[in-house]
């Protein structure tokens, strides 16, 4: 059987399913892109690149597809797929080529002309389409991308701003959680209720808000998202990869808990002047219970105020300290409140312990306490081997743990009670331990770059972050700016082992001088044609145009970016509004 001619097969089975064929073709090792068309009762498969092993692909389909399905009558290897101006595979072009090759009796040596990126000028008519050749070997290819016009964004401006900015998954989860709480909230406000019921509602929301941030829970959620096979349809993987937006549960339940507690304080204030029916001569709510309730309400209000995005950005260190110390105080006070409420609402004839263990808030507090305490139970001071890369960057090597999952981060501190900083773990295959890259971004990082540490405090376990979602895709464009290459590097180093095809865009000043040869060579080992843009030499590029060019060139399924908030939001919006899945940090924790 020759690779250069179509492989003819008999069509013995009646069921035609090109969708299943394409999904299985995309799951074959070495296949970049695939399409399957039914033409005159036969299925024809088209595969890129033109170096794939047709016999191996044929055997893969025969063993993996249901026996009731029709197999392709022919397989055609192409250097690149043709695309429409909307970024979809141009099936009409494939059919025309197929008919032309049959008429001219040609083999697959007569391949489609090299595919092109079709781009439409913004605000222009449909006729003003230009083409940019896909030739990364050409020294001017980056300039061609930058000079080209991006295609029009999907949807009208109000709709796309609503969809891709105002109502991202995080905010949609927040809205669902908050509305789900407000329905029973309004019902009980109108119907009437008691403080134990309100304490239960508040404690359930607090439980969800805290547990969803617990490191082991976060890792489990990412793990489940990555269980989705890469052969499954892209729309499923695009949505499961939004797992890092589940912080919407944290904020939604946190805000809802505060609202429920405000209701509890109001109810307790009313009950504090009403006579108890089970304890003659006393009020329903004791003075101690009321005082603790008001103290918790003050602390929750302060925490919520500091968590407001604009205040949090300006006062991040204070936000963390308030969240930590006020949160611990609220936990202690809530335990006190629960015990006081059980005492206030239980009669002398019922044992206190029996009432307590039948109180939902009690068990919620048990789980909350364990969740908060568990990372601190793993607090330890570890040895660090520093490697000064430059006056702007430092690499710290750790040996206490081997090879964290690519796309995870650790928290480091020199003062555990006051300040913590998160850094991406860089695990080098077949090498013990891991490292982190510290880039100068403020007083704390500047201090350690100037005087490298030999010991650091570390808390909890390495936790998966947004870069981990790159493993959900077969082909991905990874974008980093400055020290953002740190979180990208472990995914890049493990890409070949995990059968992920990557293209890299790294924009940074003086890459080798700042980050060293090992980091730069690591990037190039994953993508020999990586775009490493020296901003000191070429200035700042139009990242969105470069990313779009790389997406079209590599036929990537997704983009993952690690950068500053402004650029991350710009690239994610620029890609998603044009139909490309894009992922970046949302700074919600």
């Amino acid at each position: 059987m020759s690779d250069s001619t179509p492989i003819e097969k008999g069509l013995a089975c009646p069921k035609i399913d090109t969708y299943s064929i394409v999904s299985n073709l995309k799951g074959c090792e070495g296949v970049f892109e695939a399409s399957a068309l039914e033409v005159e009762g036969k299925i024809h498969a088209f595969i890129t690149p033109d170096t794939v092993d047709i016999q191996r692909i044929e055997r893969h389909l025969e063993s993996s597809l249901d026996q009731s399905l029709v197999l392709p009558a022919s397989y055609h290897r192409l250097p690149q797929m043709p695309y429409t101006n909307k970024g979809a595979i141009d099936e009409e072009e494939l059919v025309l080529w197929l008919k032309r090759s049959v008429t001219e009796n040609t083999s697959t040596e007569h391949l489609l002309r090299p595919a092109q990126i079709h781009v439409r000028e913004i605000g222009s008519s449909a006729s003003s389409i230009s083409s940019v050749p896909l030739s990364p070997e050409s020294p001017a290819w980056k300039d061609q991308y930058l000079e080209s016009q991006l295609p029009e964004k999907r949807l009208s401006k109000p709709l796309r701003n609503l969809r891709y900015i105002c109502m991202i998954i995080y905010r949609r989860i927040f809205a669902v959680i908050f509305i789900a709480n407000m329905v029973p909230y309004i019902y009980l406000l109108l119907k009437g209720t008691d403080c134990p019921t309100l304490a239960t509602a508040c404690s359930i929301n607090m439980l969800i808000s805290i547990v969803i941030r617990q490191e082991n829970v976060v890792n489990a959620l990412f793990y489940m998202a990555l269980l989705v096979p890469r052969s499954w349809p892209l729309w499923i993987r695009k949505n499961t990869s939004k797992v890092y937006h589940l912080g919407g549960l944290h904020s939604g339940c946190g805000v809802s808990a505060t609202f429920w507690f405000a209701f509890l304080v109001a109810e307790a204030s009313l009950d504090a002047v009403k006579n108890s029916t089970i304890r003659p001569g006393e009020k329903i709510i004791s003075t101690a219970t009321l005082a603790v309730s008001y103290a918790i309400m003050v602390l929750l209000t302060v925490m919520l105020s500091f968590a407001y995005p604009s205040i949090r950005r300006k006062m991040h260190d204070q936000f963390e300290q308030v969240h930590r110390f006020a949160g611990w105080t609220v936990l202690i006070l809530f335990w006190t409140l629960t015990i006081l409420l059980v005492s206030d609402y239980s009669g002398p004839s019922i044992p206190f312990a029996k009432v307590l263990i039948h109180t939902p808030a009690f068990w919620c507090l048990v789980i909350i306490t364990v969740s908060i305490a568990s990372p601190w139970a793993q607090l330890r001071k570890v040895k660090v081997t520093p490697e000064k890369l430059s006056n702007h960057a430092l690499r710290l090597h750790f040996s206490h743990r081997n090879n964290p999952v690519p796309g995870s981060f650790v928290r480091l501190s020199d003062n555990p009670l006051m300040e913590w900083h998160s850094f991406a773990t860089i695990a080098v295959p077949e090498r013990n331990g891991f490292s982190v890259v510290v880039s100068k971004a403020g007083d704390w990082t500047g201090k350690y770059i100037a005087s490298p540490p030999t010991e650091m405090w570390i808390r909890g376990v390495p936790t998966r972050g947004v870069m981990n979602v790159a493993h959900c895709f077969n082909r991905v464009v990874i974008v980093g700016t400055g020290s953002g290459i740190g979180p990208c590097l472990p995914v890049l180093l493990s890409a070949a082992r995990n059968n992920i095809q990557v293209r890299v865009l790294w924009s940074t000043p003086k890459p080798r001088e700042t980050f060293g040869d090992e980091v730069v060579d690591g990037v190039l080992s994953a993508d020999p044609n990586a775009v490493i843009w020296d901003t000191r030499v070429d200035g700042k590029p139009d990242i969105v145009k470069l990313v779009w060019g790389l997406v079209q060139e590599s036929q990537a399924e997704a983009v993952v970016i690690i950068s500053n908030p402004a650029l991350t939001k710009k690239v994610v919006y620029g890609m998603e509004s044009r139909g490309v899945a894009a992922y970046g940090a949302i700074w919600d924790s």
Side-chain angles (χ1 to χ4, degrees):
M1 187 180 297
S2 172
D3 282 359
S4 62
T5 58
I7 301 169
E8 298 296 331
K9 299 187 63 69
L11 302 181
C13 301
K15 188 176 180 181
I16 292 177
D17 186 354
T18 57
Y19 179 82
S20 295
I21 290 173
V22 170
S23 295
N24 276 270
L25 286 173
K26 289 181 177 180
C28 292
E29 183 178 355
V31 173
F32 285 7
E33 184 60 280
S35 181
L37 304 177
E38 180 187 357
V39 180
E40 297 178 355
K42 293 184 178 182
I43 297 177
H44 301 271
F46 301 87
I47 309 160
T48 64
D50 55 2
T51 56
V52 293
D53 186 336
I54 292 293
Q55 287 92 342
R56 181 169 51 79
I57 290 174
E58 183 186 21
R59 290 193 297 270
H60 173 81
L61 283 189
E62 288 176 343
S63 63
S64 59
L65 281 177
D66 192 292
Q67 293 183 354
S68 65
L69 298 181
V70 175
L71 291 171
S74 64
Y75 297 79
H76 306 275
R77 300 181 303 174
L78 312 174
Q80 289 172 336
M81 285 287 178
Y83 287 86
T84 66
N85 63 322
K86 294 184 178 180
I89 292 177
D90 193 335
E91 295 183 352
E92 292 183 2
E93 177 71 17
L94 291 175
V95 172
L96 288 174
W97 175 82
L98 181 65
K99 291 180 178 178
R100 186 168 60 249
S101 65
V102 172
T103 302
E104 299 173 1
N105 194 26
T106 59
S107 69
T108 50
E109 293 177 354
H110 179 79
L111 295 169
L112 281 165
R113 64 178 182 269
Q116 296 177 319
I117 301 174
H118 296 281
V119 293
R120 189 189 309 272
E121 295 182 9
I122 297 176
S124 65
S125 64
S127 61
S128 59
I129 297 176
S130 60
S131 300
V132 180
L134 293 178
S135 179
E137 293 79 11
S138 167
W141 73 274
K142 289 183 288 188
D143 294 334
Q144 291 172 335
Y145 286 157
L146 292 173
E147 291 170 2
S148 66
Q149 294 295 320
L150 290 167
E152 293 177 346
K153 298 182 179 74
R154 298 182 176 186
L155 305 176
S156 64
K157 187 173 182 178
L159 286 178
R160 68 173 179 262
N161 286 348
L162 178 66
R163 168 67 179 81
Y164 301 115
I165 297 178
C166 299
M167 292 304 293
I168 59 174
I169 299 292
Y170 177 93
R171 291 194 176 111
R172 277 182 265 172
I173 293 174
F174 179 99
V176 169
I177 293 297
F178 189 73
I179 292 170
N181 272 278
M182 288 304 101
V183 171
Y185 186 97
I186 294 172
Y187 173 76
L188 292 176
L189 188 64
L190 297 175
K191 177 180 177 291
T193 184
D194 55 29
C195 288
T197 300
L198 296 173
T200 298
C202 180
S203 61
I204 290 173
N205 276 279
M206 289 176 64
L207 171 66
I208 298 172
S209 178
I210 292 168
V211 168
I212 202 67
R213 283 291 188 223
Q214 212 279 337
E215 295 159 344
N216 293 301
V217 173
V218 171
N219 286 338
L221 292 171
F222 272 91
Y223 177 78
M224 289 188 288
L226 266 62
L227 288 178
V228 176
R230 284 192 228 141
S231 59
W232 281 23
L234 181 58
W235 69 268
I236 295 178
R237 291 178 285 133
K238 284 169 62 175
N239 285 288
T240 56
S241 298
K242 296 285 187 179
V243 60
Y244 62 98
H245 283 261
L246 284 176
L249 279 170
H250 171 75
S251 57
C253 288
V255 172
S256 298
T258 306
F259 272 73
W260 280 111
F261 202 84
F263 193 171
L264 185 152
V265 170
E267 186 68 25
S269 299
L270 294 175
D271 289 350
V273 297
K274 296 178 181 177
N275 293 323
S276 173
T277 58
I278 57 176
R279 295 191 322 278
E282 298 183 26
K283 303 299 181 182
I284 296 176
I285 292 293
S286 66
T287 303
T289 305
L290 189 63
V292 171
S293 299
Y294 272 93
I296 294 174
M297 188 69 243
V298 170
L299 291 173
L300 288 176
T301 303
V302 171
M303 291 175 67
L304 203 63
S305 300
F306 272 85
Y308 190 75
S310 60
I311 297 176
R312 174 179 165 176
R313 283 192 296 269
K314 295 176 182 177
M315 307 172 67
H316 188 267
D317 290 345
Q318 291 82 355
F319 155 76
E320 284 195 349
Q321 291 161 11
V322 166
H323 232 58
R324 182 175 302 119
F325 294 114
W328 291 347
T329 305
V330 166
L331 179 60
I332 294 170
L333 290 176
F334 212 106
W335 270 108
T336 305
L337 177 66
T338 302
I339 293 171
L340 289 172
L341 283 174
V342 169
S343 176
D344 288 344
Y345 280 85
S346 60
S349 60
I350 306 175
F352 176 84
K354 184 176 181 180
V355 177
L356 184 64
I357 63 173
H358 285 86
T359 301
F362 169 78
W363 295 108
C364 287
L365 286 171
V366 169
I367 299 172
I368 289 171
T369 303
V370 171
S371 181
I372 291 175
S374 58
W376 291 93
Q378 300 176 70
L379 177 69
R380 57 210 179 277
K381 200 171 191 178
V382 299
K383 298 291 184 181
V384 179
T385 303
E387 177 190 355
K388 191 166 183 177
L389 303 176
S390 67
N391 291 330
H392 299 278
L394 172 72
R395 192 168 183 176
L396 302 177
H397 296 268
F398 296 81
S399 59
H400 72 284
R401 178 185 290 273
N402 288 338
N403 296 327
V405 173
S408 61
F409 64 89
V410 293
R411 296 180 176 89
L412 303 177
S413 178
D414 58 359
N415 187 348
L417 289 178
M418 298 302 296
E419 190 174 12
W420 286 91
H421 298 266
S422 297
F423 295 93
T425 61
I426 303 174
V428 180
E430 301 179 359
R431 186 187 301 178
N432 292 333
F434 67 93
S435 63
V436 303
V437 172
V438 179
S439 182
K440 192 171 183 179
D443 294 338
W444 193 88
T445 53
K447 174 179 64 175
Y448 284 113
I449 292 172
S451 180
T454 56
E455 290 182 323
M456 294 292 291
W457 287 97
I458 194 165
R459 171 168 61 94
V461 297
T463 309
R464 302 189 190 209
V466 63
M467 183 51 64
N468 194 240
V469 305
H471 295 89
C472 294
F473 304 99
N474 298 295
R475 299 174 303 282
V476 63
V477 172
I478 293 179
V479 185
T481 61
S483 59
I485 199 62
C488 304
L489 197 56
V491 174
L492 296 176
L493 294 174
S494 63
R497 187 175 71 250
N498 293 321
N499 198 27
I500 304 173
Q501 296 161 13
V502 295
R503 288 306 319 273
V504 183
L505 170 59
W506 180 22
S507 174
T508 187
K510 300 180 179 180
R512 286 193 183 274
E513 182 180 329
T514 304
F515 296 97
D517 289 339
E518 187 176 353
V519 172
V520 176
D521 292 342
V523 172
L524 292 173
S525 69
D527 178 12
N529 293 318
V531 181
I532 302 180
W533 189 285
D534 189 340
T535 55
R536 289 290 174 86
V537 175
D538 300 313
K540 292 185 178 180
D542 187 329
I543 296 289
V544 176
K545 281 189 177 181
L546 285 178
V547 172
W548 177 258
L550 289 174
V551 167
Q552 299 305 304
E553 173 201 316
S554 62
Q555 302 164 27
E557 295 177 323
V559 173
V560 184
I561 178 171
I562 303 295
S563 185
N564 58 67
L567 186 58
T568 297
K569 292 175 182 177
K570 182 178 180 179
V571 171
V572 170
Y573 174 76
M575 292 300 106
E576 290 195 329
S577 61
R578 293 177 173 90
V580 177
Y583 306 89
I586 51 178
W587 291 274
D588 64 319
S589 63

